[in-house]
Amino acid sequence: DVKVTQSSRYLVKRTGEKVFLECVQDMDHENMFWYRQDPGLGLRLIYFSYDVKMKEKGDIPEGYSVSREKKERFSLILESASTNQTSMYLCATGRASQETQYFGPGTRLLVL
Amino acid sequence: AQSVTQPDIHITVSEGASLELRCNYSYGATPYLFWYVQSPGQGLQLLLKYFSGDTLVQGIKGFEAEFKRSQSSFNLRKPSVHWSDAAEYFCAVGSLNSNSGYALNFGKGTSLLVTP
């Protein structure tokens, strides 16, 4: 079974704080993805990575950065959190040769 | 550009009744199609997927979906809904990205409520 874990289920931060969300997978998948989920908007891709130290912007990268120093770990960074970044953040992984993505449980972030 | 439309934002069905959730896609080539389910407060779980071959695909939890190229649709069905099926359902289409392999484009979701 694929296991994708996210560092926190719930997080409360203040405006301007630097926020780290971490995702870890145990299946040796090449691809890792960060999405945010908002009511009525579905899932929107923020960033993805297809290899260690590689990253590509998704549909809504503004205000975010990512880091992938090890294959199993993909971090999403909010350099200076803002209230409009209050959302559910979902990490996903997948093999480069396959289309299926496997999701973590999500982190619900509240920025005050 | 590819897109996915789920026309129904909310659907309410009675327990034991049949269910159909609609999904329409726009994509130039043969799409890779998925249905995911998200229970409250949880991540997404894959229900089923279509890549090629038989256009009627079976998934987990008694769900099935039918790919209809002529209608650009991939509707999800279940003959008899259980209260535990109450959740949010997402349709997604996959496309080949030259760098990363496959990326998924999700619909906005359909929220299913099951009444006694």
Side-chain angles (χ1 to χ4, degrees):
Chain A
D1 255 6
V2 177
K3 192 160 178 66
V4 184
T5 58
Q6 296 183 228
S7 50
S8 306
R9 292 301 303 275
Y10 301 94
L11 212 50
V12 181
K13 295 292 182 181
R14 296 208 175 273
T15 301
E17 278 193 79
K18 191 169 186 175
V19 181
F20 291 88
L21 303 182
E22 199 160 69
C23 176
V24 179
Q25 51 109 350
D26 67 354
M27 286 303 292
D28 201 35
H29 284 174
E30 295 83 6
N31 294 348
M32 296 187 76
F33 306 82
W34 275 108
Y35 295 88
R36 67 175 280 175
Q37 181 183 15
D38 301 287
L41 297 178
L43 276 74
R44 294 178 291 168
L45 182 63
I46 305 172
Y47 267 98
F48 63 97
S49 168
Y50 51 93
D51 202 352
V52 175
K53 297 192 186 295
M54 306 304 286
K55 61 184 179 184
E56 281 205 21
K57 294 180 180 179
D59 299 319
I60 52 163
E62 297 77 20
Y64 303 94
S65 62
V66 290
S67 172
R68 191 157 180 211
E69 296 297 318
K70 294 184 177 181
K71 189 175 186 178
E72 68 270 19
R73 195 176 297 265
F74 191 35
S75 301
L76 180 69
I77 303 155
L78 288 64
E79 294 289 342
S80 177
S82 63
T83 55
N84 63 13
Q85 292 178 310
T86 291
S87 188
M88 172 77 139
Y89 290 88
L90 292 165
C91 174
T93 76
R95 292 216 173 276
S97 58
Q98 296 180 3
E99 304 79 4
T100 305
Q101 292 183 17
Y102 301 89
F103 284 81
T107 295
R108 193 168 291 281
L109 173 66
L110 173 63
V111 182
L112 299 173
Chain B
Q2 61 178 350
S3 66
V4 180
T5 302
Q6 294 180 246
D8 305 304
I9 299 174
H10 300 283
I11 281 188
T12 301
V13 298
S14 300
E15 191 168 16
S18 64
L19 170 70
E20 183 170 36
L21 302 182
R22 296 183 292 165
C23 173
N24 293 97
Y25 66 89
S26 170
Y27 187 60
T30 299
Y32 300 94
L33 295 160
F34 304 80
W35 275 101
Y36 284 86
V37 61
Q38 183 181 34
S39 298
Q42 303 297 316
L44 275 68
Q45 181 183 19
L46 180 67
L47 279 177
L48 49 78
K49 57 189 178 184
Y50 170 78
F51 293 161
S52 64
D54 193 346
T55 56
L56 184 63
V57 293
Q58 303 296 322
I60 63 170
K61 304 186 181 190
F63 286 92
E64 65 178 27
E66 186 170 12
F67 170 60
K68 292 186 177 179
R69 185 188 301 276
S70 61
Q71 298 176 19
S72 297
S73 69
F74 189 56
N75 294 347
L76 183 71
R77 299 194 295 248
K78 186 169 185 178
S80 177
V81 169
H82 188 262
W83 64 266
S84 60
D85 293 323
E88 185 121 25
Y89 291 80
F90 292 93
C91 182
V93 59
S95 64
L96 185 60
N97 178 290
S98 58
N99 287 331
S100 68
Y102 294 93
L104 293 183
N105 193 6
F106 286 85
K108 294 183 179 179
T110 297
S111 180
L112 174 65
L113 177 65
V114 180
T115 58

